[in-house]
Amino acid sequence: MATIIQPPEIERHDAPGRGGRGGGGVNSNGPTPGNPIALDQFLPEPSRTGIWVGLAAITMSFAAFTSALVVRQATANDWHPLTIPSVVFVNTAILVASSVTLQIARHRVADFAQGRIADRAASLLWLGATLGLGVIFVVGQYLAWRQLRAEGLYLASNPNSSFFYVLTAMHAVHVLGGLAGLARVIDLLRQPGLCLRRSTLDASSYYWHFMGVLWLYVLIVMWSKL
């Protein structure tokens, strides 16, 4: 009599990973119980690469303008010292403060995502403060331009004023881009049914902090060259 041996049953396990039921990862597709907002724990490589490529391109453009400034100063006979408007230094303090508020906001978002705080009010408060300070910075730059105009210095008045307008205007335009990114983060965070990825928050944060560092560089160049 033949004996039939059944093959052993193979236990099935869900592969660990983000979004898997048995993996213990963070679901990036939407809110989960006990985790009111799904915040990715890792920054995907495409997002990381994209933000650094963008920042590198901005760096190269400002480096090119700096080189043009140095060459123009060395060959110019009409180079006159420029007094930097005092409001520019107030703007610098405001931009530095905005980086501080953004870091606080990132910690509050992480606390909310991990359930350590009950609601998102604190996150929105600090993100809103960062956005407001950024707007004040841009308005302050406009006031600096008006101060130069009141002194009779326009874009084409002399090389010094030309470089001041160009460098500060270029930076202000990029700051406006950062404000748009922060506004998107705030909008995603306010909508309870949507997922705010950590990559989105990190990309906006890296860009904003870079704007602060870039402004300090621009200020040093203007202070020493103009």
Side-chain angles (χ1 to χ4, degrees):
M1 180 176 179
T3 302
I4 299 176
I5 301 177
Q6 298 292 339
E9 295 184 359
I10 300 176
E11 296 182 1
R12 300 176 63 88
H13 298 279
D14 290 333
R18 295 186 304 170
R21 294 188 178 184
V26 178
N27 183 1
S28 63
N29 296 321
T32 58
N35 185 19
I37 182 171
L39 184 68
D40 284 348
Q41 295 302 310
F42 301 98
L43 180 63
E45 191 61 31
S47 298
R48 185 191 301 273
T49 302
I51 189 62
W52 289 117
V53 168
L55 297 184
I58 296 173
T59 301
M60 291 176 63
S61 65
F62 275 87
F65 272 97
T66 302
S67 298
L69 187 155
V70 172
V71 172
R72 183 68 174 84
Q73 182 187 34
T75 59
N77 296 322
D78 54 348
W79 198 267
H80 305 288
L82 177 71
T83 301
I84 298 177
S86 57
V87 69
V88 167
F89 301 101
V90 177
N91 294 343
T92 303
I94 290 173
L95 195 58
V96 171
S98 71
S99 286
V100 175
T101 58
L102 181 55
Q103 280 302 104
I104 296 174
R106 292 181 68 187
H107 289 299
R108 294 297 178 268
V109 171
D111 289 341
F112 174 60
Q114 297 170 12
R116 289 195 291 266
I117 57 178
D119 57 54
R120 68 195 79 195
S123 306
L124 290 171
L125 175 64
W126 287 105
L127 285 171
T130 304
L131 186 68
L133 289 172
V135 172
I136 293 173
F137 173 82
V138 175
V139 172
Q141 296 296 76
Y142 173 73
L143 294 178
W145 301 331
R146 290 197 59 177
Q147 183 175 336
L148 285 184
R149 291 178 59 187
E151 297 174 2
L153 296 174
Y154 298 89
L155 179 63
S157 295
N158 56 61
N160 306 62
S161 62
S162 297
F163 277 106
F164 180 88
Y165 279 107
V166 169
L167 288 173
T168 55
M170 280 184 59
H171 183 269
V173 169
H174 287 90
V175 167
L176 290 175
L179 291 175
L182 290 174
R184 173 171 170 77
V185 169
I186 293 174
D187 182 61
L188 291 175
L189 187 58
R190 292 180 61 183
Q191 300 183 30
L194 295 180
C195 166
L196 172 63
R197 287 181 173 272
R198 180 175 177 179
S199 59
T200 303
L201 179 60
D202 282 352
S204 299
S205 300
Y206 293 159
Y207 184 91
W208 191 258
H209 292 320
F210 177 78
M211 285 297 106
V213 174
L214 180 62
W215 173 248
L216 292 177
Y217 165 78
V218 170
L219 183 61
I220 291 173
V221 169
M222 293 190 302
W223 178 266
S224 60
K225 298 298 182 180
L226 299 184

